[in-house]
Amino acid sequence: MGKIKVMGLIDAINNIFWKEQKYESEYKNILQQSINEQSLIANYYYSISFSQIPTYVNNVKNWEVYKKIEFMKFLCQILRKTKNSFHDSNDKKKQKILMASQYLKVLFKSKLELSESDLSFFYKAIRELKSFNNYYVAGDWQYSYFFNQVEFNYLNKELPDSMITVLKEIIETKKNINSYNYKSEIKLDEKIKSFLFHSTNPGEKTLPTYFVGEDGFKDFANNLIEQQNETKRNLWYKLTAIAQKASGGKPSIKYLNEARIIIDALGKENFKDITHSWFNYIINLKESITTAIERYESQEYSYQIIEFLSSINSDAIKGYIWMTTCIDDKDTIQLIGKLAERCFRKIPQKGSVATSLGNSCLFYLSSVKGLDGIAQLSKLKLKVKQNSTLTLIEKYIDEAAKKMDISSVEIEDLAVDDFNLKEFKLIYPLEDYKCVIELTGIGKSSMKWIKKDGLEQKTVPQILKTKYSDKLKKIKEQQKQIDQATSIQKERLDRILRSERKISIEYFKEKYLNHGLLSFVINKIIFNLSNVNESILAIYYNKKWIDLNYNEVNIENFSNINFWHPATSSTNIVREWRQFLLDAQIQQPFKQAYREIYLLTEAEINTKTYSNRMASHILKQHQYVTLAKGRNWKAKLLGAWDGGEHDTAELYLSEYNLKVEYWINALNAEDQYTSSGIWNYVTTDQIRFINSETNELLDLINVPIIAFSEVMRDVDLFVGVASVGNDPTWSDSGGLITYRDYWQTYSFGDLSEIAKNRKEILEKLIPRLKIASVIKIDEKFVVVTGKLRTYKIHIGSTNILMEPNDQYLCIVPDKNLKTHSENIFLPFEGDNGLSIIISKAFLLANDEIITDSTILSQIKR
């Protein structure tokens, strides 16, 4: 008996401290041959495709399991000896170490019949290798693959105490929340917990499963689960376990079916209540900022980590959003739309706060029945700036349109919610009162309370506040949705001006004129009405169609209609419509009659295939990229990395089969980049037009007039807003000394088309101002005669020079103060530069009462 015990002890020692014995020579040869074969394929060993290694394919792969296990123990011994030698300059040692590690990885993937002592050996070896703190010796795969072997060998067997102890040790191993492998480590812990639970509690079927990521959402979500009764709580555990398996871009049918069975048992109302609470919490969740410290050799580095949701919780929430496809009521669709918008909001140095989660919202919106999901996608299309996200949104809209055999523009028309508006009003009867929401402008509406006697009450009746608090919240939310919808549709119609879309009068009447919301948005827009014999321009104003001479037009006499673009009319016609708007005091929802027009120049005819009109400008890169993406261009940030010197911003105009390119170059100036290596400034180059079907470079003369004008207008906007020449502080604050001449030339140089348009408006506006007697226009400037000095405000950049010596005056507009232009009629909305010029003019016309010391010190210098 004693002899047996001694022999058992010796066997155990030999197993734990395995010595290369019987196959030592063969194993060494196998390892060296594999190294030689890999060297013929590539000179790196960090990732090896063993299907290309003959020694593995012809020998190792075909070995008996016991021999593979012995070889793996041999490899562990090789790696155990490498604690201090990996950084050795000897390349052969590195090759041997890396090949051994890669061999272990590929062999651990196979199903091996391992004894308890084998598993103990490998666990101790892995733990020792991990202590070396070297990724290439002990990668992130080892504990995961080890657990797979435990699971395979004890799936339907009693788990020994030694393995229970080992698995618990893995769970209790300290995890670094900032580690790249943190999510996979936590997911492994959950798998091990589930395995231990079912192995040690064979009678129990439901493992308590929670959100496990470390973030603000975790406790909130888990508390809601805990508050459920036992039956429902167990069902939520099951759903959470399924949600934690969510991976990839879309759920499988099996995934959805498995979840729906549980949701049906739970009850859709309970599922909706809890998930809505979670989604609302996430919408209002703020990002957390923590400082992390990394050590490399003798250096210590600190950096900020900005986090919204932990990646592991984000995956689980994604799984829940997929499950929500079984619920398609309007409240849920609108909530998922809000959640998507929150997920795609950008944060510094990271981009979208939760792209994967946002994409799951897009999947949901594309999957629900009806057009409410498409309406949300159409809204997001105008709000989201990320190129990949916009592509995905457009893909979902196009797919939905194809299913209905209509165009993507038509399906967006169909998807616009009319909110049951009648005569631009929405009425809610409550007790003896009527709540009336009435559209008053784009993005604006009023809320009135009408008493039984027809008189208006200014505030919400107290009895209703007490009795209908939830209903009032929904009414206010509905008003908010309506205001957002008018703003979104205004932007969408402005984009439609890029095209030459012509529709039938019948379609227009059904989808626009008789639509509760769109009929308000198209008010004050000029249309081109046509039939076989004639065409006429008319404005839709106060439910009437009027031509330039104020004659009413009967649209029934015409068969087609399209939005009028001023580039298609003569200069006289455009001028007459502009005067019409001024005389009638009609403010259009977006620039139409006063839209900037860009026609082909002689220089562009000569350059033939490209335009240099917008070249050689210096732009603030972040501002330019934001503007470009806002106009549906695909543009990216350039930085101090390989390939980060040049970009080609692209715009696709599918209606013309055109791809537009705008060449951008990094301004590689010393220290002019952010902490993440992104250049502060870029310079501009050529604009080109390419046939998107043939990839043929087009002569500019062959580009459709509207397409050319709209592209140039976009780029002029990028330059007009993002140019450093617009920054009144750029020169004084240092800027780039080498490029001061550009700032001076742009700030006070020739006017762009946007500035020329602005000048035309100012010429008609100035005579109506209170300060008209001390203000005039002189070529590029609005000249203001103050009591102390005379000032010249550049109509393009809005920067100021002071006479008599053209001294520069720096005035930074206060965004929080109301501008004088707010009470002045303008024929369109949205020209911030025009507002700034008027505000500066009013300030300087009364320069004797200026109290700001920074401005006074410059004036009196």
Side-chain angles (χ1 to χ4, degrees), residues 755-773:
K756 289 175 185 176
N757 224 19
R758 194 177 289 159
K759 179 180 177 181
E760 181 182 337
I761 298 165
L762 285 167
E763 286 172 337
K764 296 173 181 177
L765 190 62
I766 284 173
R768 305 181 185 187
L769 301 179
K770 292 179 181 179
I771 57 173
S773 60

Side-chain angles (χ1 to χ4, degrees), residues 449-464:
W449 292 92
I450 310 299
K451 295 187 283 188
K452 194 174 184 179
D453 58 9
L455 296 176
E456 181 183 342
Q457 179 168 320
K458 292 184 178 179
T459 58
V460 181
Q462 187 59 46
I463 188 172
L464 300 183

Side-chain angles (χ1 to χ4, degrees), residues 389-449:
T389 304
L390 283 171
T391 301
L392 186 58
I393 291 172
E394 289 167 355
K395 173 178 171 283
Y396 283 140
I397 292 174
D398 289 344
E399 287 175 352
K402 284 178 183 177
K403 287 179 183 177
M404 298 179 68
D405 198 26
I406 57 178
S407 71
S408 57
V409 180
E410 287 174 315
I411 199 171
E412 288 188 69
D413 284 343
L414 290 171
V416 180
D417 194 341
D418 67 0
F419 294 95
N420 295 317
L421 288 161
K422 307 293 182 186
E423 301 294 320
F424 310 144
K425 295 178 182 178
L426 185 59
I427 300 173
Y428 292 94
L430 288 172
E431 299 277 350
D432 293 332
Y433 298 89
K434 288 181 181 177
C435 174
V436 181
I437 296 173
E438 183 173 9
L439 303 183
T440 57
I442 299 298
K444 301 171 187 174
S445 62
S446 65
M447 182 183 287
K448 298 176 182 177
W449 292 92

Side-chain angles (χ1 to χ4, degrees), residues 732-762:
D732 287 347
S733 65
L736 296 172
I737 296 173
T738 314
Y739 301 95
R740 290 277 177 83
D741 289 345
Y742 168 78
W743 183 86
Q744 188 71 26
T745 301
Y746 183 89
S747 292
F748 305 108
D750 294 338
L751 299 181
S752 66
E753 291 300 324
I754 292 174
K756 289 175 185 176
N757 224 19
R758 194 177 289 159
K759 179 180 177 181
E760 181 182 337
I761 298 165
L762 285 167

Side-chain angles (χ1 to χ4, degrees), residues 2 119 144 207 273 279 338 393 414 428 448 464 474 526 561 675 789:
L119 286 167
S144 177
L207 168 70
D273 289 344
F279 299 158
K338 283 183 186 177
I393 291 172
L414 290 171
Y428 292 94
K448 298 176 182 177
L464 300 183
K474 288 184 178 180
I526 303 165
I561 187 170
S675 59
R789 295 186 78 158

Side-chain angles (χ1 to χ4, degrees), residues 360-614:
S360 69
C361 294
L362 299 184
F363 171 80
Y364 168 86
L365 295 172
S366 71
S367 301
V368 291
K369 297 175 183 177
L371 292 168
D372 289 333
I374 299 299
Q376 292 296 322
L377 289 174
S378 182
K379 174 182 173 182
L380 289 164
K381 182 180 170 184
L382 294 167
K383 288 196 168 190
V384 170
K385 302 292 187 286
Q386 294 83 350
N387 296 334
S388 58
T389 304
L390 283 171
T391 301
L392 186 58
I393 291 172
E394 289 167 355
K395 173 178 171 283
Y396 283 140
I397 292 174
D398 289 344
E399 287 175 352
K402 284 178 183 177
K403 287 179 183 177
M404 298 179 68
D405 198 26
I406 57 178
S407 71
S408 57
V409 180
E410 287 174 315
I411 199 171
E412 288 188 69
D413 284 343
L414 290 171
V416 180
D417 194 341
D418 67 0
F419 294 95
N420 295 317
L421 288 161
K422 307 293 182 186
E423 301 294 320
F424 310 144
K425 295 178 182 178
L426 185 59
I427 300 173
Y428 292 94
L430 288 172
E431 299 277 350
D432 293 332
Y433 298 89
K434 288 181 181 177
C435 174
V436 181
I437 296 173
E438 183 173 9
L439 303 183
T440 57
I442 299 298
K444 301 171 187 174
S445 62
S446 65
M447 182 183 287
K448 298 176 182 177
W449 292 92
I450 310 299
K451 295 187 283 188
K452 194 174 184 179
D453 58 9
L455 296 176
E456 181 183 342
Q457 179 168 320
K458 292 184 178 179
T459 58
V460 181
Q462 187 59 46
I463 188 172
L464 300 183
K465 285 183 180 179
T466 306
K467 198 171 180 180
Y468 296 100
S469 59
D470 289 341
K471 181 74 172 176
L472 290 174
K473 285 179 184 177
K474 288 184 178 180
I475 291 173
K476 288 179 180 177
E477 178 61 27
Q478 185 80 320
Q479 183 182 22
K480 185 179 177 182
Q481 292 286 336
I482 290 170
D483 291 345
Q484 288 179 349
T486 53
S487 296
I488 289 293
Q489 292 309 312
K490 179 204 80 169
E491 292 297 325
R492 189 172 76 92
L493 298 187
D494 181 62
R495 296 273 181 93
I496 288 177
L497 276 186
R498 280 179 176 170
S499 68
E500 298 179 32
R501 186 191 182 206
K502 185 179 287 188
I503 55 179
S504 70
I505 288 291
E506 292 305 315
Y507 180 94
F508 178 78
K509 281 163 43 180
E510 180 186 352
K511 300 300 186 295
Y512 287 86
L513 207 54
N514 298 329
H515 190 280
L517 185 128
L518 284 178
S519 58
F520 180 84
V521 180
I522 63 170
N523 196 39
K524 305 176 186 176
I525 292 177
I526 303 165
F527 291 86
N528 181 47
L529 302 162
S530 62
N531 56 32
V532 176
N533 301 314
E534 65 173 327
S535 66
I536 187 172
L537 297 178
I539 189 170
Y540 182 64
Y541 183 55
N542 289 340
K543 300 183 180 180
K544 293 181 180 179
W545 292 91
I546 306 169
D547 68 11
L548 267 173
N549 299 314
Y550 295 90
N551 298 317
E552 282 198 43
V553 176
N554 184 1
I555 66 168
E556 299 296 340
N557 295 332
F558 299 90
S559 55
N560 295 305
I561 187 170
N562 61 281
F563 291 90
W564 172 63
H565 195 292
T568 60
S569 296
S570 68
T571 303
N572 286 337
I573 293 294
V574 174
R575 190 177 290 122
E576 287 176 8
W577 273 110
R578 290 178 176 180
Q579 191 61 49
F580 175 92
L581 296 178
L582 283 172
D583 293 342
Q585 296 277 288
I586 296 174
Q587 185 184 68
Q588 293 193 289
F590 51 81
K591 275 188 181 181
Q592 188 188 27
Y594 276 90
R595 205 172 189 84
E596 297 80 16
I597 302 169
Y598 300 78
L599 302 177
L600 208 58
T601 64
E602 193 68 34
E604 287 163 339
I605 293 172
N606 291 334
T607 56
K608 198 173 182 181
T609 58
Y610 63 90
S611 169
N612 275 330
R613 194 188 305 197
M614 304 296 175

Side-chain angles (χ1 to χ4, degrees), residues 315-358:
D315 282 349
I317 298 159
K318 175 173 74 173
Y320 269 111
I321 291 170
W322 288 346
M323 295 176 193
T324 309
T325 52
C326 65
I327 297 175
D328 54 9
D329 63 281
K330 207 162 191 173
D331 288 345
T332 302
I333 292 170
Q334 288 180 351
L335 185 62
I336 298 290
K338 283 183 186 177
L339 181 58
E341 191 176 336
R342 177 67 182 96
C343 290
F344 291 124
R345 193 182 302 168
K346 295 185 71 176
I347 55 176
Q349 300 178 23
K350 184 174 180 179
S352 299
V353 294
T355 302
S356 179
L357 190 57

